[in-house]
Amino acid sequence: MAPKRPQASQPPGNAGAPRRRSSGSPFDHVGNGVKFLGVSVLSGVLLAGLALPAVGAIGLTAKDTAESFDNIPDDFKTPPLTQATQIFDAKGGLIAKVYERDRTVLNADQMSPYMRQAQVDIEDARFYEHGAVDLKGVLRALSKNAESGTASQGASTLTQQYVKNVNVEKAGDDQAAVLEAQRKTLGRKIQELKVAIKLEEDLTKDQILTNYLNITFYGHQAYGVEAASQRYFSKSNKDLTIAEAATLAGIVQNPSSYDPVRYPDNTVKRRNVVIDKMLENKHITADQAKEAKAAPLGLKYKDPQNGCITAQAGMGFFCDYVRHVVKQDPAFGKSAEERKKLWDTGGLNIYTTLDPDKQAAAQNAVTKNVNVTDQVSAAATMMEPGTGKILAMAQTRPYGLDPNKNQTVVNLNVDASMGGGNGFQTGSTFKPILAAAALEAGMSNTQSFPSQNKIEYPQMSTCSGTWKNTDKPKATVKNEQDSEVGPYELKEAMARSVNTYFVQMEQQVGLCAMKQMANKLGITQSARGDAFQEVPSMVLGTMELSPLTMANVYATFAARGKYCTPIAINKITTVDGKDIKVPQSQCSQAFSEQTADSLNTVLLNVTEKGTAAALGLDDGRKIAGKTGTTDEKKAAWFDGYTPSLATAVWLGGPAGGVKMKNINIGGKHFDDVFGATGPGPIWQMAMNQALKGTPLEPIQTTNIPDPQPATPPANTAPPADPNTQQQQPQPPAGNPPPPPNGNPGGVIGGGFTLPPGFIGGGNGNGGKHGGGNG
């Protein structure tokens, strides 16, 4: 018998297995003999142009029959079958196999001859002798059913069974269409017979058998003989023994009852029936039959491995990102329906940009420094500057559906629309974007601002008018230490991450210029899709963004101003070797190389003399970057790069709202977490491993004289070190100036009030308040 499509209610342990065909039909009220006659003989008679009174008894008119012929599709020769899609990393290693139906289509030569013979012998022994309708079989079944008083024996040929399977396959996940394909009506039977007759005219018997063996369901999510062979015996179909081939052939009639895993005794009995049929039809010898029946069942069962949850080495989140790309990028279809069909049909080999060595480095860093049971999590994205290629995407908590194991399917590296969260406030890692806008507008790289310790937000121009500080009292911004009093020039202001300096720069440049630069760097909205807000606190990192977005910003810095849209896929081929067009990275010059060289010089100073001075790499190569810590320590960042690799690392509560004060992370206690003490070491470990053994590359810089350090006000006590593990009084907003050998710590957020009109936080990711320094 042909199997049904999997139904919802099944015996435990074999979810998704087809049920046995029900004997109920519209013919139940006519009697068993007439019932079978209606289903089998009557259909054939009608096709011959004859009519019987029974037609009226079951409500099928001549008009109904004619219309059913008119509506029969002809495309049944080689229907597109859903197959497994394989996703590979950049070196050809398998990341994961994903499928709607686990199936690998074979040609006849790739199948075991025993398999082909066994399936025919048990399902339709006269397959090679009759046409689309087996009249001899019909009469035999009619006689048997009349004797038993039931309709237990059918007469569908293997070709008819194949047609029914095609109808179910075409129905896909549309349950209404599935039920329609399975409906036991005379009209449906006539349609199947008509198509079967047409198939027998156009295809050889061997072709029909091959198609049947590729489409049939064998239980345990295995469709087709290759998937079934791999599932139950962990081998290719061509390598099956007689006993193994007979086992699979026997399953088809009822995959639930003959489930080899749950009911091995039933399976052996059914297998032996198949072996007897093979002997009866002289496809094996008596000795072969005896040996096959004496063989143990010999299962080497492998659980279905489907989806990104099976991905290797923490690659599940990147795998999921690839899925979103295929389903959303217009390159893969004009409509969402077309793209979904492409993904669901499968049969693709997707070769991605993921570098397995860099992925291992990133995954090692986020899991070694943060435990899955910690209140907080870490995420890291690596990108190749100048190409848009995503090289790694890692996070502490594993990909999965079990919250008891701290698993999640939310990809914290990407935007919500691509399977991610709502993003996180970026703190001071946003300040270089304003600096790029200012330099591009012609501001000197030695520009000085008064940078008072605390100021009111000044009036600023926007793209559509003017922003005014209308709060009462007026909204203010403050530097992180009382000792931070200007004037400062850009190089030192970036190293110290001086809030008031950048707000004064923002006033001079204008909010519109900063927004336009952010847009050129791929920031057009928040991670959850909120519109870009032109407010002064933006420069302090109040907009919630993803690590992928920030990694690409810093990749643009590394590529001397060349911005490239992120890509995850290098190439896609179908199983028959055809190429599918994939989206290419779109690159543009976001700002001039002269601006880039000045910015590189400023960010290099951050890692040599500023808040990230403790994050040097083992081989001494030059790095540039920026720390960031948001208000109340709800998110901390370090984004940095070399000419060949840019990495953004975020640390915080996955759902936001975790204040990283007096907290244990990765088995280490932190009084306060800063950009350089939390995510910084993760970035450092990941980059050390990822770049080990690669050539040292110079960062293109320009000469910017070191400014004279600002003189602190008289009688100002030296600031406390925010990174000490000792319990000591801390200023309410502690951001020490970098010591002579560089400040290994970050600087805390806060220290200002929000300007009117800013709506922060959303779901609390990264904190609802404004970003901060370092």
Side-chain angles (χ1 to χ4, degrees):
M1 289 186 176
K4 290 276 196 172
R5 181 174 176 83
Q7 302 293 319
S9 56
Q10 293 297 326
N14 191 25
R19 294 177 179 173
R20 179 188 296 273
R21 256 196 226 105
S22 168
S23 60
S25 79
F27 303 101
D28 286 339
H29 304 292
V30 187
N32 291 324
V34 176
K35 177 192 302 182
F36 186 82
L37 183 65
V39 175
S40 300
V41 178
L42 179 58
S43 300
V45 172
L46 285 173
L47 288 172
L50 301 177
L52 293 178
V55 175
I58 61 172
L60 181 68
T61 66
K63 179 177 180 293
D64 294 329
T65 304
E67 288 180 349
S68 70
F69 287 141
D70 292 339
N71 294 329
I72 295 172
D74 292 326
D75 182 22
F76 267 74
K77 295 179 183 178
T78 54
L81 299 180
T82 55
Q83 299 185 64
T85 284
Q86 298 185 98
I87 302 175
F88 300 94
D89 63 36
K91 293 187 176 181
L94 181 65
I95 294 176
K97 185 169 73 169
V98 297
Y99 51 80
E100 291 298 311
R101 292 182 176 86
D102 188 7
R103 176 189 284 119
T104 300
V105 174
L106 303 179
N107 59 42
D109 293 338
Q110 294 170 314
M111 295 178 180
S112 164
Y114 297 134
M115 183 75 238
R116 296 173 69 85
Q117 293 160 358
Q119 203 71 72
V120 169
D121 288 342
I122 194 62
E123 292 286 319
D124 186 1
R126 300 184 63 253
F127 173 65
Y128 284 96
E129 300 171 22
H130 60 65
V133 181
D134 182 8
L135 294 180
K136 183 176 180 181
V138 168
L139 295 175
R140 182 179 65 250
L142 179 62
S143 175
K144 293 278 187 181
N145 292 336
E147 290 176 6
S148 64
T150 68
S152 59
Q153 185 164 340
S156 292
T157 65
L158 191 145
T159 305
Q160 291 171 259
Q161 294 177 44
Y162 168 66
V163 171
K164 178 172 287 186
N165 275 321
V166 171
N167 282 327
V168 173
E169 178 79 16
K170 285 188 171 185
D173 294 325
D174 185 340
Q175 289 304 308
V178 171
L179 292 174
E180 176 63 23
Q182 295 175 334
R183 220 159 41 100
K184 287 181 176 294
T185 64
L186 183 56
R188 170 63 59 188
K189 196 70 177 180
I190 292 173
Q191 288 180 352
E192 291 176 1
L193 283 168
K194 194 268 184 180
V195 175
I197 291 170
K198 185 75 170 85
L199 281 177
E200 295 258 358
E201 293 174 356
D202 296 341
L203 300 178
T204 68
K205 289 285 190 176
D206 281 341
Q207 288 173 323
I208 293 172
L209 176 59
T210 298
N211 290 355
Y212 177 79
L213 291 171
N214 277 320
I215 200 172
T216 300
F217 182 64
Y218 288 87
H220 286 271
Q221 300 183 36
Y223 289 81
V225 291
E226 179 63 14
S229 301
Q230 296 290 351
R231 179 77 71 253
Y232 297 115
F233 298 110
S234 298
K235 63 169 67 173
S236 178
N237 184 261
K238 63 182 175 59
D239 298 323
L240 294 184
T241 65
I242 293 173
E244 292 165 347
T247 298
L248 297 187
I251 292 173
V252 171
Q253 185 185 60
N254 194 320
S256 293
S257 296
Y258 301 129
D259 181 344
V261 178
R262 296 186 66 208
Y263 306 115
D265 292 342
N266 287 357
T267 304
V268 170
K269 291 177 183 178
R270 176 67 174 170
R271 177 199 71 180
N272 291 345
V273 170
V274 176
I275 293 170
D276 286 339
K277 285 288 185 181
M278 295 177 74
L279 176 61
E280 177 184 331
N281 288 292
K282 299 181 180 179
H283 288 136
I284 57 175
T285 67
D287 288 342
Q288 286 176 315
K290 182 178 179 181
E291 181 181 354
K293 292 173 73 171
L297 188 55
L299 291 186
K300 291 184 180 178
Y301 180 78
K302 290 191 296 190
D303 284 320
Q305 297 292 306
N306 181 25
C308 295
I309 201 168
T310 66
Q312 304 297 312
M315 299 179 185
F317 296 102
F318 180 80
C319 170
D320 188 69
Y321 180 79
V322 169
R323 178 175 67 89
H324 278 84
V325 170
V326 174
K327 287 192 170 185
Q328 294 185 35
D329 197 300
F332 298 110
K334 294 181 180 179
S335 67
E337 290 74 17
E338 286 181 35
R339 297 189 292 270
K340 182 179 185 299
K341 182 178 180 181
L342 174 66
W343 181 263
D344 292 349
T345 301
L348 307 175
N349 291 317
I350 302 178
Y351 301 92
T352 72
T353 61
L354 195 75
D355 184 313
D357 298 327
K358 291 178 174 59
Q359 173 67 27
Q363 188 67 24
N364 179 60
V366 297
T367 54
K368 288 291 180 63
N369 289 277
V370 185
N371 298 328
V372 294
T373 54
D374 288 343
Q375 289 178 270
V376 298
S377 188
T381 297
M382 291 181 170
M383 297 194 69
E384 182 177 78
T387 67
K389 291 183 179 181
I390 303 170
L391 304 180
M393 192 176 281
Q395 68 187 59
T396 303
R397 299 188 180 181
Y399 187 89
L401 298 169
D402 189 349
N404 295 322
K405 295 180 180 178
N406 297 289
Q407 294 176 347
T408 180
V409 293
V410 178
N411 186 352
L412 300 177
N413 281 286
V414 302
D415 290 355
S417 63
M418 300 300 288
N422 289 336
F424 308 94
Q425 291 183 352
T426 60
S428 294
T429 60
F430 201 92
K431 289 174 180 173
I433 297 174
L434 173 62
L439 292 167
E440 191 71 358
M443 185 178 287
S444 169
N445 56 22
T446 59
Q447 175 68 45
S448 174
F449 287 107
S451 311
Q452 300 93 330
N453 186 257
K454 181 179 180 180
I455 62 173
E456 294 177 352
Y457 279 102
Q459 180 173 298
M460 301 185 190
S461 64
T462 69
C463 292
S464 57
T466 303
W467 180 90
K468 296 181 180 180
N469 190 344
T470 58
D471 260 10
K472 294 182 179 179
K474 289 186 179 295
T476 61
V477 59
K478 184 182 183 299
N479 294 332
E480 305 308 318
Q481 289 289 324
D482 290 340
S483 61
E484 287 183 341
V485 178
Y488 290 112
E489 294 182 11
L490 175 58
K491 195 172 179 181
E492 185 178 10
M494 189 71 78
R496 292 174 176 266
S497 204
V498 179
N499 287 337
T500 59
Y501 178 92
F502 288 97
V503 170
Q504 289 168 347
M505 174 186 278
E506 191 176 33
Q507 179 192 26
Q508 181 165 325
V509 175
L511 293 174
C512 189
M514 181 177 67
K515 176 183 178 180
Q516 290 172 344
M517 179 56 68
N519 291 167
K520 290 179 181 180
L521 295 171
I523 303 173
T524 57
Q525 59 186 11
S526 74
R528 64 177 173 184
D530 294 335
F532 197 113
Q533 298 182 46
E534 287 182 77
V535 291
S537 62
M538 184 66 67
V539 72
L540 303 176
T542 54
M543 192 174 188
E544 293 172 326
L545 301 172
S546 67
L548 174 59
T549 296
M550 294 308 293
N552 206 22
V553 168
Y554 281 74
T556 305
F557 299 162
R560 301 184 73 198
K562 182 181 179 182
Y563 169 80
C564 297
T565 55
I567 55 169
I569 300 171
N570 284 325
K571 180 181 179 181
I572 297 181
T573 61
T574 62
V575 289
D576 54 359
K578 296 179 181 178
D579 288 335
I580 291 180
K581 187 177 180 180
V582 301
Q584 302 297 309
S585 181
Q586 302 301 310
C587 298
S588 59
Q589 198 69 28
F591 48 82
S592 70
E593 290 186 351
Q594 181 181 358
T595 292
D597 294 347
S598 291
L599 193 60
N600 284 340
T601 306
V602 169
L603 295 177
L604 184 64
N605 193 55
V606 173
T607 63
E608 291 183 337
K609 298 180 181 179
T611 56
L615 300 179
L617 300 184
D618 292 345
D619 56 14
R621 74 177 67 217
K622 296 290 186 179
I623 60 171
K626 185 71 184 75
T627 55
T629 311
T630 68
D631 192 30
E632 297 184 294
K633 313 290 196 315
K634 290 182 178 178
W637 294 74
F638 184 71
D639 303 338
Y641 58 91
T642 67
S644 62
L645 184 62
T647 300
V649 176
W650 158 88
L651 177 69
V658 177
K659 298 178 181 180
M660 292 185 290
K661 300 181 178 183
N662 192 27
I663 189 173
N664 290 325
I665 302 175
K668 180 181 178 181
H669 181 78
F670 292 81
D671 290 340
D672 294 286
V673 170
F674 303 95
T677 60
I682 298 173
W683 183 94
Q684 185 181 43
M685 179 182 288
M687 292 290 278
N688 270 327
Q689 184 177 338
L691 294 170
K692 187 176 182 179
T694 62
L696 301 184
E697 305 162 288
I699 294 177
Q700 191 72 34
T701 59
T702 190
N703 181 42
I704 303 178
D706 285 330
Q708 293 298 316
T711 303
N715 302 320
T716 300
D721 182 355
N723 304 304
T724 179
Q725 297 301 306
Q726 298 177 1
Q727 297 294 328
Q728 56 182 335
Q730 297 287 330
N735 178 23
N741 63 347
N743 177 14
V747 285
I748 69 170
F752 58 88
T753 56
L754 293 175
F758 173 67
I759 302 173
N763 69 348
N765 284 351
K768 295 177 70 175
H769 304 295
N773 292 52

